[in-house]
């Protein structure tokens, strides 16, 4: 059986694939992987953000392929995988990172919101795995898949009803995949970052009552004040891959959420409700 271990301190000769690499966690993971010697295949809907990430990678002397992809569309992802295989061969590390937020309770979440969130946050991960895993298995030398879940994927967040639901689904998918990929030497890690200061606070639509500008400013201020950077997340994600961790809580609140969800679920629910109230 091939080993799922990828030594992430030295990624030379490795191909790293990242979705949603035009911003935030995806961008920082791409830059860190390049600094450690990897070649990169990157996609995003946001072509300008993607081009900026690619410039940073070229400046580090690494090769990079970029493609505009809507992860919600299976055909886009298949075309991206074909281009990646042609340029670099088989992926060693696949990071299903692209995702979107929605600040809304269940009663304020409409059918179009559900379709949008599920198509990107869940089906985007499914499409990434479907497009890249078969060639990784066929090559027979192992590899690793990282899926971005959330603390809201282990503890329900009532302010993020649909988002939380999709991230629980990503967590579950990662658990099943980890067992199924084990005989192929392919590791799978579900990442639960915590409160990370990225563009997600600006990009997240808000539903329901109250002054939306005020609520957005409050949310952005909370994330800024927490001050946990995407760059720190990137370092910890690569460490988790190196250790072949099934679950990678990143910031302190993510460690606490994960532990409470497993050890003391009622306390976990209380903690989650407090976190949600802070964000409103
Ligand atoms: N920032 C946090 O606090 C936090 C916490 C938990 C989980 N996460 C998860 O981490 C991942 C990255 O988030 P981030 O904070 O870096 O956000 P971000 O908004 O900075 O980056 C997300 C990227 O995904 C891209 N994207 C969105 N929809 C897409 C689509 N349909 N197809 C292709 N690309 C698409 C965006 O254009 C953007 O470049 C997401 O899955 C998010 O849910 C973030």
């Amino acid at each position: 059986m091939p080993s799922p271990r990828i030594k992430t301190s030295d990624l030379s000769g490795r191909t790293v694939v990242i979705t949603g690499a035009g911003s935030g966690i995806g961008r920082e993971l791409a830059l860190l992987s390049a600094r450690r010697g990897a070649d990169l295949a990157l996609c995003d809907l946001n072509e300008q953000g993607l081009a900026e990430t690619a410039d940073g990678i070229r400046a580090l002397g690494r090769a990079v392929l970029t493609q505009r992809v809507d992860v919600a569309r299976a055909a886009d992802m298949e075309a991206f995988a074909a281009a990646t295989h042609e340029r670099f061969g088989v992926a060693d590390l696949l990071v299903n990172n692209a995702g979107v937020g929605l600040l809304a309770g269940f009663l304020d979440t409409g059918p179009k919101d559900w379709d949008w969130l599920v198509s990107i946050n869940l089906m985007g991960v499914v499409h990434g795995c479907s497009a890249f895993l078969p060639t990784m298995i066929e090559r027979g030398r192992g590899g690793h898949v990282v899926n971005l879940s959330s603390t809201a994927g282990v503890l329900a967040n009532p302010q993020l009803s649909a988002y939380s639901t999709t991230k629980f689904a990503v967590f579950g998918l990662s658990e099943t995949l980890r067992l199924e990929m084990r005989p192929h030497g392919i590791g799978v890690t579900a990442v639960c970052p915590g409160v990370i200061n990225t563009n997600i606070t600006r990009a997240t639509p808000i539903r329901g009552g109250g002054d939306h500008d005020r609520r957005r400013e409050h949310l952005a201020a909370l994330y800024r004040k927490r001050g946990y950077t995407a760059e720190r997340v990137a370092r910890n994600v690569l460490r988790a891959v190196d250790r072949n961790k099934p679950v990678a809580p990143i910031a302190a609140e993510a460690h606490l959420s994960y532990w409470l969800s497993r050890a003391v679920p009622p306390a976990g629910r209380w903690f989650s409700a407090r976190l949600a109230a802070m964000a409103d």
Side-chain angles (χ1 to χ4, degrees):
M1 196 206 300
S3 160
R5 288 295 300 275
I6 292 191
K7 206 166 125 307
T8 54
S9 54
D10 178 8
L11 289 171
S12 37
R14 302 284 197 176
T15 300
V16 176
V17 177
I18 306 175
T19 70
S23 170
I25 295 169
R27 168 176 287 176
E28 293 303 330
L29 261 170
L31 291 170
L32 183 61
S33 301
R35 263 180 237 120
R36 295 188 182 177
D39 292 327
L40 275 302
L42 309 176
C43 74
D44 203 297
L45 262 184
N46 172 356
E47 288 178 283
Q48 195 190 327
L50 200 52
E52 286 167 15
T53 307
D55 285 347
I57 287 162
R58 284 190 206 98
L60 291 163
R62 302 312 316 162
V64 57
L65 166 92
T66 58
Q67 197 153 312
R68 184 187 185 279
V69 168
D70 180 350
V71 298
R73 293 167 52 95
D76 279 16
M77 192 68 87
E78 291 294 340
F80 175 52
T84 302
H85 294 144
E86 193 181 322
R87 173 88 185 266
F88 295 122
V90 178
D92 295 290
L93 171 60
L94 165 67
V95 184
N96 289 302
N97 161 77
V100 288
L102 180 73
L103 190 60
F106 177 80
L107 296 176
D108 295 316
T109 306
K112 283 194 177 144
D113 292 326
W114 278 102
D115 284 349
W116 183 63
L117 264 277
V118 170
S119 71
I120 296 171
N121 288 2
L122 175 58
M123 294 313 294
V125 177
V126 171
H127 295 151
C129 292
S130 300
F132 285 94
L133 274 174
T135 49
M136 290 167 77
I137 292 168
E138 199 184 331
R139 177 178 66 168
R141 292 216 313 266
H144 205 98
V145 177
V146 168
N147 294 330
L148 268 289
S149 178
S150 169
T151 52
V154 293
L155 280 178
N157 185 319
Q159 296 281 356
L160 300 168
S161 182
Y163 179 81
S164 210
T165 305
T166 60
K167 293 299 184 177
F168 266 81
V170 169
F171 192 93
L173 171 63
S174 306
E175 291 277 303
T176 68
L177 259 187
R178 184 167 171 100
L179 299 178
E180 189 176 338
M181 291 302 120
R182 215 183 129 124
H184 302 290
I186 296 172
V188 179
T189 301
V191 173
C192 303
V195 174
I196 314 302
N197 190 22
T198 69
N199 280 331
I200 205 165
T201 53
R202 279 181 289 283
T204 293
I206 299 176
R207 303 272 184 269
D211 177 341
H212 287 191
D213 288 343
R214 184 205 63 77
R215 288 176 69 191
R216 181 176 307 289
E217 193 33 55
H218 178 67
L219 187 71
L222 189 78
Y223 277 58
R224 262 198 313 274
K225 199 167 158 205
R226 173 68 183 91
Y228 204 105
T229 64
E231 200 272 331
R232 265 178 93 184
V233 177
R235 268 186 276 132
N236 283 310
V237 168
L238 288 190
R239 185 174 303 135
V241 170
D242 198 275
R243 296 176 183 174
N244 191 21
K245 293 266 192 197
V247 181
I250 303 293
E253 62 275 12
H255 281 277
L256 181 59
S257 295
Y258 182 57
W259 181 79
L260 287 173
S261 74
R262 263 46 196 169
V264 209
R269 289 190 193 97
W270 176 85
F271 178 65
S272 192
R274 298 287 308 154
L275 272 186
M278 275 170 70
D280 199 29

